[in-house]
Amino acid sequence: MAKIKLSEIKKFLKQISLIKPDKDIVGGRRGSEENVKIKFLLPLLELLGYDRIKDMGFEMLNIDVALSINYKPVLIVECKSWDVLITDYLHQCLEYSLKTRIPNI
């Protein structure tokens, strides 16, 4: 993976600092998982050098995002609503890991 430029990190940090969770993520909607994925996770993964088309698979066996290197899945990324604890869903991540034989969650 390419080295991340400081200017790109600053741009990302500025972008997420503008997010107001109560309005931009939850904002009276039922659940906010997709907002977390689109407004926070995808920009972060792109900053880290992952390509949305080549490296990311979406909703494969109900997995929110499966990251690939050279088209081989290597990492599961599970999104949850802003207002829940991800630790309450570790069993779900483990199940996905076992189903797909992807070792990283």
Side-chain angles (χ1 to χ4, degrees):
M1 224 175 276
K3 207 172 192 182
I4 303 170
K5 295 179 183 174
L6 183 59
S7 62
E8 292 173 355
I9 295 170
K10 287 181 180 181
K11 181 180 173 185
F12 172 75
L13 292 174
K14 181 176 182 186
Q15 180 181 347
I16 63 166
S17 73
L18 298 174
I19 295 173
K20 295 176 177 51
D22 57 328
K23 294 178 182 166
D24 300 324
I25 303 271
V26 181
R29 298 175 193 94
R30 181 181 170 264
S32 60
E33 189 171 307
E34 284 302 305
N35 278 301
V36 170
K37 185 189 307 182
I38 292 166
K39 295 175 182 177
F40 181 78
L41 179 64
L42 294 181
L44 174 62
L45 294 175
E46 289 173 334
L47 172 70
L48 294 173
Y50 290 98
D51 181 90
R52 197 179 296 206
I53 305 297
K54 222 174 44 176
D55 302 327
M56 297 182 208
F58 301 95
E59 297 302 325
M60 176 184 86
L61 300 171
N62 294 327
I63 297 167
D64 290 326
V65 182
L67 295 177
S68 302
I69 296 177
N70 297 324
Y71 298 98
K72 182 180 188 278
V74 295
L75 181 76
I76 294 169
V77 182
E78 180 63 23
C79 290
K80 290 297 173 200
S81 295
W82 192 264
D83 55 349
V84 300
L85 294 173
I86 192 71
T87 53
D88 291 345
Y89 296 90
L90 291 179
H91 64 283
Q92 182 180 12
C93 293
L94 179 59
E95 178 184 334
Y96 292 162
S97 181
L98 293 172
K99 273 187 192 176
T100 61
R101 298 185 183 186
I102 298 173
N104 302 299
I105 51 177

